[in-house]
Amino acid sequence: SLSLFIGCGNGDTNGDNGSEDEVQSIEWRLGHLGNDTHLWNVTALHFADLVNEKTDGQVTISVYPNEQLGNEIDNINMIQSGTADMVISGESMQNWAEKAALMAVPYAFNDIDHLRSVVEGEIGAEIETEISEKIGLKALYYHVRAPRNLTSNYPISTPADLAGFSMRVPNVPLFVEAWKAAGANPQVMAFSEVFTALQQNVINGQENPYDLIHSANFNEVQEYTNETEHVYGWLYVLVGEDQFAELSEANKAAVLEAAAETQVFADNLFSEEIEKYKAELIERGMKINSDVDKEAFREAMAPAVEEFLSETQLNLYNRIVEA
Ligand code: 2Q2
């Protein structure tokens, strides 16, 4: 028999949950800070299509780029209160789950392969578990990221060049400490506010991977990308555990299958597209300073990193650098 299940919203606690023949009608709202052509958005739309197909339209996902659902931190709070359902997030989750700090520690990873092995291994699993327990978010698939670089209006090659340099960092306490130690004057700001702050000289710079520098058109308000490559990291695409629990068993399986397929899509898209962002920024007139003393930045940040990390975090950190 087919029990019609109409308008199943967030927080609905109908005892039918999980029954096999239940027809659901669920809409999830996913927010992130990239623009509509950014690879996270393209991937999220692909995931939405797959979920729609595999659940016969019972689960639909609406994607909101450019922090249209609110900034990352608000987006997480909204998921917890049931007014949003999904988010793309990473090291900012250290504000709730300390192990999430390991998703982006200055100079912890050597390259993308090192990063991938950690994400796919035991450490990645531990981080996912803590995110689930402490924040109530379930990781569906992930994005590896190109390294973070510092942008500015004059070349910055060593920490000494940071004197008097005020810059934006995301809401990531470890980044605040690391950049202070390097000699800059960092302040926390939502991503969607950075362009205007740069334009109005409220800040002199910011740091992000090439794809987000491109996504937010920072080349219009910043002359240089300095290849500090100070952080390799990754992000999860997450859904609220409560929202996921509402799904019937069949729909849960469909969503997980869609997520596994989307992982392959995301990894392919990353390798195909990631180089293009730098090339296009150069075409747009951005200057690349590749003459950066990365070792000096690493040394300047190292004491702050060590001091910042709790015992738990330091253990994970040591396991990462030894991997
Ligand atoms: O600069 C940003 O806002 C992003 O590149 C952040 O790294 C990212 O959103 C983290 O805050 C992830 O939690």
Side-chain angles (χ1 to χ4, degrees):
S1 78
L2 197 73
S3 72
L4 247 195
F5 198 84
I6 297 168
C8 166
N10 295 326
D12 195 315
T13 51
N14 187 304
D16 277 353
N17 277 356
S19 74
E20 268 175 46
D21 53 359
E22 172 186 319
V23 175
Q24 299 186 299
S25 174
I26 288 177
E27 189 209 342
W28 282 347
R29 303 201 303 157
L30 158 64
H32 68 87
L33 51 76
N35 72 12
D36 57 342
T37 63
H38 188 268
L39 74 174
W40 302 344
N41 201 63
V42 174
T43 306
L45 292 174
H46 180 79
F47 178 62
D49 281 347
L50 286 178
V51 166
N52 191 41
E53 236 172 68
K54 290 176 192 291
T55 64
D56 293 322
Q58 294 179 71
V59 182
T60 55
I61 298 172
S62 306
V63 182
Y64 296 82
N66 295 311
E67 294 194 331
Q68 282 166 16
L69 266 193
N71 70 49
E72 189 177 337
I73 301 285
D74 290 345
N75 198 161
I76 291 173
N77 289 324
M78 286 167 72
I79 296 173
Q80 292 173 334
S81 67
T83 52
D85 308 284
M86 294 183 68
V87 68
I88 303 183
S89 188
E91 62 272 15
S92 284
M93 293 187 289
Q94 74 192 249
N95 291 298
W96 294 269
E98 64 172 341
K99 290 183 183 175
L102 279 300
M103 297 177 74
V105 176
Y107 299 106
F109 296 99
N110 307 319
D111 52 36
I112 298 285
D113 288 343
H114 183 200
L115 179 75
R116 249 185 228 289
S117 71
V118 169
V119 183
E120 299 272 357
E122 248 174 61
I123 296 176
E126 274 181 47
I127 293 171
E128 285 184 41
T129 301
E130 199 190 37
I131 289 169
S132 167
E133 287 171 359
K134 298 258 170 75
I135 323 182
L137 297 178
K138 178 180 182 59
L140 292 171
Y141 61 91
Y142 65 86
H143 289 288
V144 293
R145 308 182 76 182
R148 300 180 81 88
N149 289 317
L150 182 66
T151 65
S152 58
N153 282 319
Y154 57 88
I156 294 177
S157 304
T158 72
D161 299 328
L162 289 173
F165 186 77
S166 82
M167 60 182 284
R168 175 270 180 180
V169 290
N171 192 326
V172 176
L174 174 56
F175 288 5
V176 174
E177 296 312 317
W179 283 104
K180 268 191 204 160
N185 184 7
Q187 68 184 80
V188 168
M189 192 183 287
F191 187 78
S192 51
E193 290 164 21
V194 178
F195 185 94
T196 305
L198 288 167
Q199 194 172 40
Q200 298 180 344
N201 292 315
V202 174
I203 46 172
N204 309 122
Q206 66 83 44
E207 48 80 54
N208 254 303
Y210 274 122
D211 51 281
L212 285 183
I213 297 170
H214 179 280
S215 175
N217 298 314
F218 289 151
N219 56 285
E220 290 175 18
V221 284
Q222 296 274 266
E223 257 184 79
Y224 290 89
T225 296
N226 307 281
E227 294 188 319
T228 46
E229 300 189 332
H230 51 283
V231 168
Y232 278 94
W234 77 95
L235 297 171
Y236 289 115
V237 179
L238 308 125
V239 64
E241 290 282 8
D242 289 349
Q243 284 86 338
F244 187 76
E246 272 182 29
L247 299 184
S248 67
E249 291 309 312
N251 284 337
K252 277 181 190 160
V255 166
L256 294 180
E257 194 180 285
E261 290 177 22
T262 302
Q263 186 65 58
V264 177
F265 180 90
D267 293 340
N268 288 338
L269 194 62
F270 180 82
S271 26
E272 282 161 22
E273 293 224 334
I274 202 63
E275 298 298 332
K276 95 171 183 200
Y277 295 108
K278 176 177 175 179
E280 286 186 16
L281 284 167
I282 294 172
E283 268 171 42
R284 291 176 184 180
M286 196 162 214
K287 294 174 191 135
I288 308 300
N289 172 23
S290 54
D291 190 24
V292 173
D293 187 350
K294 288 199 269 181
E295 187 51 27
F297 280 96
R298 195 193 63 74
E299 270 172 32
M301 290 178 179
V305 170
E306 252 174 63
E307 196 179 318
F308 177 89
L309 296 182
S310 69
E311 212 181 304
T312 304
Q313 290 169 330
L314 201 56
N315 280 332
L316 285 171
Y317 175 79
N318 288 331
R319 283 163 63 196
I320 288 172
V321 295
E322 284 155 18

